């Protein structure tokens, strides 16, 4: 360890040296960070938690929590969950196949680098820009819409698909697949060729390999990543906000409605309760992901 | 002791060739392994030894040539039909299975019943001395232990041939020599024909029945360890296996004259003229020399390396440096700084292929 | 690998790449197409929508403001995070877990939820201090924490900071020298990574800006979209290209080290900020 008790050492004003004293002076070094995070992360979280259980006047109550039980809110949770599960599964399956396709290629090749870079961009490509991309594609006068119409298929026959659940699922899948690639690829990379070769030398076929070796090894990672995708979709706001200007079919939209509406201002606790619910759901999912990742990294370092 | 149904099969490689992407990995390898023999393939990286092994395993396809197990041509068979046992350099074990499950896995693929699997895998773990670790996972085992489990797993299916791909290279030095002997003991007990690939000459010489030294896709010499070491057939073998002194001299009439000493040649058709002789350190002996006249074989000891029973003495002859290997008791008579006279025992020597300038200390 | 298996594998790979390539490239292609459409179905291609970007004052202002936010956030992130992480490694290793937890905590708090708790704070700041849009960088710093932390952590792990700083100190260097002449030069890649990721996240941020009534780039794009679809799509394509360029820079500057071996170290998630992590962020250290 560096020499404590060396008063001759010069230092910048921002970080007092511990010197030789027994006071917890080194702790001063992390105080700025703790203060900042405390103020802008922990305090808002506390506000949410606290506000979920208080009335507008400040007295404790469970009304806000109970308020979640209203029909339209419950429906929003169901829809959010549906979209999240569906896009997570689609993203997971196709993303896993893409990861396998990439991992079996040249590890230092240009192609792999392009695919992973593009995935980095596309996973990030959510929100407004993605919404507009899909409007350009299957919106009212989107190019695919027009193309299909000229061939006799009218996808707008039963309302605008883009602004309904099915449309949202497709749009969400657009960033779920690249995300799956990014999170799942390390696990696929961790599959050693020796395991395949060992299976073969012991007399196993491709089916045996996937059934008894690669499958079980990748299962925790796959499940964990799917959970991550779920949390990702559940938390998503910007894309839906850009597509759906009215209505609150998913929970994030409900929260934003409460933000901007009169009813919201008269019931500040409700928005907080919804926020708290979201935080809890995402936290649980991420904790599960963490536990699964631990096993994965033990096997597939 | 286990019934060794798959043991003792002759393995023959006939003129195997393999190249890819313009690189020739194997340039006509032919070799016959007697039943139950342990043959080590030794060579630097890129020499083709691993390729040869993978061709025997069926993990790669040869461009031409044949692989025969006990007279049966297996060249066209995929790996999972060849009945070979393999131990890899690293990552041998399946990480999600215990040691016992790993060993039993091959048995389950061979449609062995669960009870029988348990019995046989138990026996195999006993054979490698790891019965107590049956329920441990790979990450709970040391490197040496993992390799022993891998060995048990490979042998559990009673393979026709056992293939070991540098199994000790990833291990600590201490573990290496112990495990090396362990592998040999097990191999002798089970009697499976074994191919052992390594770049470590000490390993190869220590455990193999015969050693095949490979270079650039070709087999330079296939012989017993003693013969490889003391009667190298080519300069490459001489320089790859054991230490060698390179001493300039002149070739004349079937012998080479090195600093006043005449040494017989291994290859009698060596052209006459200046050449570099390859002399083993064990062939060099020392005698004390006071202040006598400097001669071609008189120099100063500049270093003594204590290696246990023997010591290696580095002698500076002025223009070149020569290594001598002698029993430590003798070497202690000539500590660093003393002047000595060298004598070279007249063993047949090889001539280095290219002319290289003698190396200064 | 046998020949037939290799063929099957290549067929699978080609199929996947073609199918998914089509799925991903079509919307991007249509964005190009849409943004260059003429007035009617038969008019020729035009860059009118693109040119219109420069004629929208709000949009230009928003671009400028977002870039400012990106810079401020990056700098703030470095100033806050780097000294803290160095300090923890050198002097307070026992706090390491806490700091790591706090840095990765924003991942479990969706933006749309956090904004509910942040709003009262901003309300107070806007009334009592300033209502400049630049105060968004306060919360932006929080949401880039996970990405920056991972990037900086990878950089710090790759160099033996303890030995380096002790060597420098024994030669007489003060902390400032250690920081700026020893540590920083040795982790330039990680610093660049952290900054580029922060920039990417800030430029793509929408939730906080919209719900706190600020007009940043993404919010401005959405407003333009209400008026002129073509222009909004044109600027979307532009921001996509910009993000791609940023990430290409990242991948070329990122010298592959021992630790950042397989896969990508990590890259921004979507606007919801759930992060692709290689390992659990509580427990198993990075390889």
């Amino acid at each position: 360890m560096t020499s404590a008790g060396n008063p001759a050492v010069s230092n910048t004003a921002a970080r007092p040296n511990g010197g030789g004293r027994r006071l917890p002076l080194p702790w001063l070094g992390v105080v700025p960070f703790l203060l900042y995070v405390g103020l802008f992360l922990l305090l808002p979280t506390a506000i949410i938690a606290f506000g979920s259980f208080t009335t507008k006047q400040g007295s404790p109550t469970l009304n806000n929590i109970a308020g979640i039980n209203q029909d339209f809110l419950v429906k929003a949770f169901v829809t959010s969950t549906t979209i999240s599960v569906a896009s997570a599964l689609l993203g997971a399956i196709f993303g896993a196949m893409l990861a396998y396709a990439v991992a079996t290629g040249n590890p230092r090749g240009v192609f792999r680098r392009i695919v992973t870079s593009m995935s980095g961009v596309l996973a990030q490509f959510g929100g407004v820009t993605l919404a507009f991309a899909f409007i350009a594609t299957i919106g009212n006068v989107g190019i695919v819409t027009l193309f299909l119409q000229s061939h006799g298929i009218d996808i707008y026959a039963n309302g605008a698909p883009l602004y309904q659940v099915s449309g949202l699922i497709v749009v969400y899948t657009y960033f779920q697949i690249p995300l799956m690639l990014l999170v799942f690829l390390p696990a696929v990379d961790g599959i050693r060729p020796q395991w395949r070769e060992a299976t073969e030398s012991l007399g196993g076929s491709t089916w045996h390999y996937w059934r008894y070796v690669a499958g079980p090894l990748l299962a925790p990672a796959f499940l964990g990543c799917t959970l991550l995708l779920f949390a990702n979709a559940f938390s998503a706001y910007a894309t839906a906000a850009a597509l759906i200007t009215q209505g609150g079919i998913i929970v994030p939209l409900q929260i934003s409605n409460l933000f901007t509406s009169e009813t919201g201002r008269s019931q500040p606790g409700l928005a907080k309760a919804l926020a708290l619910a979201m935080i809890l759901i995402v936290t649980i999912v991420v904790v599960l992901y963490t536990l699964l990742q631990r096993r994965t990294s033990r096997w597939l370092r | 002791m286990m019934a060794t149904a798959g043991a003792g099969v002759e393995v023959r490689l006939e003129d195997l060739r393999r190249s890819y992407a313009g690189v020739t990995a194997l340039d006509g390898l032919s070799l016959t392994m007697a039943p139950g023999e342990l043959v080590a393939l030794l060579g630097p990286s890129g020499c083709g030894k691993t390729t040869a092994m993978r061709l025997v395993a069926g993990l790669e396809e040869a461009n031409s040539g044949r692989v025969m197990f006990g007279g049966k041509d297996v060249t066209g068979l995929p790996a999972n039909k060849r009945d070979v046992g393999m131990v890899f350099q690293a990552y041998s074990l399946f990480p999600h299975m215990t040691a016992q499950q790993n060993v039993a896995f091959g048995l389950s693929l061979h449609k062995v019943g669960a009870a029988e699997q348990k019995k046989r895998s138990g026996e195999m773990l006993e054979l490698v001395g790891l019965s107590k670790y049956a329920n441990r996972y790979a990450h709970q085992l040391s490197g040496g232990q993992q390799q022993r489990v891998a060995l048990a797993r490979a042998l559990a299916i009673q393979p026709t041939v056992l293939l070991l791909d540098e199994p000790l290279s990833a291990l600590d030095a201490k573990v290496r020599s112990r495990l090396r002997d362990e592998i040999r003991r097990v191999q002798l007990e089970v009697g499976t024909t074994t191919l052992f690939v390594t770049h470590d000459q000490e390993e190869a010489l220590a455990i193999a029945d015969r050693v095949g030294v490979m270079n650039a896709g070709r087999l330079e010499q296939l012989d017993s360890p003693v013969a490889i070491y003391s009667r190298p057939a080519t300069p490459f073998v001489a320089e790859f296996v054991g230490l060698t002194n390179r001493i300039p001299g002149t070739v004349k009439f079937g012998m080479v004259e090195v600093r006043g000493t005449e040494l017989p040649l291994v290859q009698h058709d060596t052209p006459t003229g200046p050449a570099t002789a390859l002399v083993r350190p064990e062939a060099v002996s020392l005698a004390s020399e006071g202040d006598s006249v400097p001669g071609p074989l008189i120099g100063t000891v500049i270093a003594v390396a204590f290696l246990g029973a023997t010591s290696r003495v580095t002698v500076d002859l002025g223009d070149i440096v020569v290594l001598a290997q002698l029993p430590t008791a003798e070497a202690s008579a000539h500590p660093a700084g003393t002047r000595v006279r060298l004598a070279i025992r007249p063993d047949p020597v090889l001539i280095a292929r290219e002319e290289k300038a003698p190396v200064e200390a | 690998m046998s020949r037939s298996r290799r063929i099957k594998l290549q067929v699978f790979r080609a199929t996947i790449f073609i199918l998914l390539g089509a799925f991903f490239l079509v919307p991007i292609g249509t964005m190009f197409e849409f943004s260059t459409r003429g007035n009617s179905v038969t008019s020729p291609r035009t860059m009118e929508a693109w040119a219109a970007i420069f004629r929208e004052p709000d949009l230009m202002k928003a671009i400028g403001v977002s870039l400012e936010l990106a810079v401020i956030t990056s700098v703030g992130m470095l100033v806050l995070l780097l000294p803290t992480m160095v300090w923890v490694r050198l002097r307070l290793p026992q706090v390491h877990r806490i700091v790591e937890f706090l840095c990765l905590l924003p991942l479990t708090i969706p933006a749309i939820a956090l904004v509910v708790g942040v709003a009262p704070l901003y309300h107070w700041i806007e009334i009592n201090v300033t209502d400049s849009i630049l105060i968004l960088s306060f919360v932006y710093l929080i949401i880039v924490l996970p990405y920056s932390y991972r990037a900086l952590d990878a950089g710090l792990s790759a160099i033996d900071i303890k030995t380096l700083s002790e060597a420098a100190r024994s030669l007489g260097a003060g902390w400032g020298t250690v920081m700026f002449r020893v540590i920083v030069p040795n982790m330039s890649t990680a610093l660049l990574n952290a900054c580029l990721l922060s920039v990417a996240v800030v430029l793509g941020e929408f939730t906080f800006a919209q719900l706190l009534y600020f007009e940043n780039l993404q919010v401005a794009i959405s407003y333009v979209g209400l008026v002129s679809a073509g222009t909004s799509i044109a600027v979307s394509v532009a921001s996509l290209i910009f993000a791609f360029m940023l990430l290409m820079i990242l991948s070329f500057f990122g010298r592959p080290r021992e630790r950042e071996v397989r896969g990508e170290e990590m890259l921004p998630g979507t606007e919801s900020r759930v992060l692709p992590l290689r390992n659990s962020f509580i427990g198993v250290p990075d390889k």
Side-chain angles (χ1 to χ4, degrees), chain A residues 25-239:
Chain A
L25 240 42
W27 287 80
L28 280 178
V30 291
V31 159
F33 172 77
L34 290 176
L35 275 181
Y36 191 94
V37 173
L39 184 59
F40 284 103
L41 181 62
L42 300 177
L43 180 58
T45 312
I47 291 177
I48 293 172
F50 200 61
S52 301
F53 296 99
T54 29
T55 63
K56 199 163 173 197
Q57 290 75 30
S59 48
T61 172
L62 285 176
N63 282 345
N64 297 319
I65 307 292
I68 299 182
N69 205 11
Q70 298 172 64
D71 266 352
F72 67 103
L73 287 176
V74 169
K75 192 146 177 276
F77 271 96
V78 169
T79 312
S80 264
T81 310
T82 311
I83 296 177
S84 305
V85 167
S87 66
L89 285 176
L90 283 174
I93 293 172
F94 284 104
M97 290 201 284
L98 183 61
Y100 183 71
V102 168
T104 47
N106 180 1
R108 274 176 300 271
V110 171
F111 190 67
R112 175 173 168 135
R113 200 196 298 226
I114 292 182
V115 174
T116 40
S117 294
M118 286 249 45
S119 294
V121 175
L122 293 175
Q124 153 78 355
F125 183 43
V128 180
T129 36
L130 180 64
F132 286 176
F134 267 84
I135 290 176
T137 313
I138 54 175
N140 276 329
V141 287
I143 195 170
V144 171
T145 316
L146 296 175
F147 175 76
L148 289 173
Q149 273 174 357
S150 69
H151 284 72
I153 310 171
D154 184 6
I155 58 176
Y156 277 76
N158 295 323
L162 193 53
Y163 314 115
Q164 291 169 351
V165 171
S166 51
L168 276 186
I169 292 177
V170 173
V171 177
Y172 277 26
T173 307
Y174 197 85
F175 57 70
Q176 296 281 58
I177 294 180
L179 182 62
M180 184 66 175
L181 175 77
L182 295 175
V183 268
F184 192 61
L185 187 58
V188 183
D189 276 339
I191 299 279
R192 304 282 171 187
Q194 286 89 337
W195 298 333
R196 174 113 206 202
E197 291 173 353
T199 309
E200 279 181 36
S201 72
L202 291 168
S205 63
T206 301
W207 186 82
H208 289 123
Y209 170 68
W210 281 102
R211 163 78 178 83
Y212 294 107
V213 179
L217 280 173
L218 287 174
F222 183 79
L223 188 56
C225 293
T226 309
L227 287 174
L228 202 64
L229 261 55
F230 172 86
N232 194 30
F234 199 82
S235 317
Y237 167 68
T239 316

Side-chain angles (χ1 to χ4, degrees), chain A residues 1 15 17 26 36 48 101 105 123-124 133 137 141 143 174 183 189 200 232 237 239 289-290 293-294 301, chain C residues 5 13 17 24 30-31 37 87 90-91 113 138 200 210 232 262 269-272 276-278 280-282:
Chain A
M1 210 45 235
R15 236 196 337 265
N17 195 335
Y36 191 94
I48 293 172
Q124 153 78 355
T137 313
V141 287
I143 195 170
Y174 197 85
V183 268
D189 276 339
E200 279 181 36
N232 194 30
Y237 167 68
T239 316
Y289 163 76
T290 305
Q293 269 304 96
R294 229 178 257 181
R301 238 183 284 248
Chain C
R5 216 180 87 202
R13 296 180 75 219
F17 288 136
F24 285 108
T30 59
M31 278 179 34
R37 274 190 198 172
W87 188 256
L90 293 181
R91 298 303 222 97
F138 289 137
Q210 191 210 37
S232 63
R262 284 183 301 284
T270 68
E271 2 84 309
S272 64
L277 290 178
R278 284 183 52 187
S280 79
F281 45 80
I282 304 169

Side-chain angles (χ1 to χ4, degrees), chain A residues 1-13:
Chain A
M1 210 45 235
T2 52
S3 57
N6 184 355
V9 173
S10 66
N11 48 61
T12 59

Side-chain angles (χ1 to χ4, degrees), chain B residues 198-271:
Chain B
T198 178
H199 62 269
D200 185 324
Q201 37 137 334
E202 194 188 307
E203 260 168 42
L205 297 177
I207 66 171
D209 291 314
R210 279 191 301 163
V211 175
V213 181
M214 288 187 66
N215 182 30
R218 320 203 98 251
L219 190 61
E220 296 236 345
Q221 184 176 3
L222 176 65
D223 235 329
S224 70
V226 171
I228 292 279
Y229 186 81
S230 50
R231 287 188 298 281
T234 71
F236 174 80
V237 176
E239 294 200 89
F240 189 79
V241 181
L243 288 172
T244 320
N245 286 303
R246 304 173 66 99
I247 310 182
T250 318
V251 176
K252 326 169 182 174
F253 320 123
M255 61 91 187
V256 58
E257 196 227 301
V258 171
R259 304 202 160 219
T261 309
E262 286 185 358
L263 304 171
L265 285 170
V266 169
Q267 291 164 330
H268 298 284
D269 53 353
T270 316

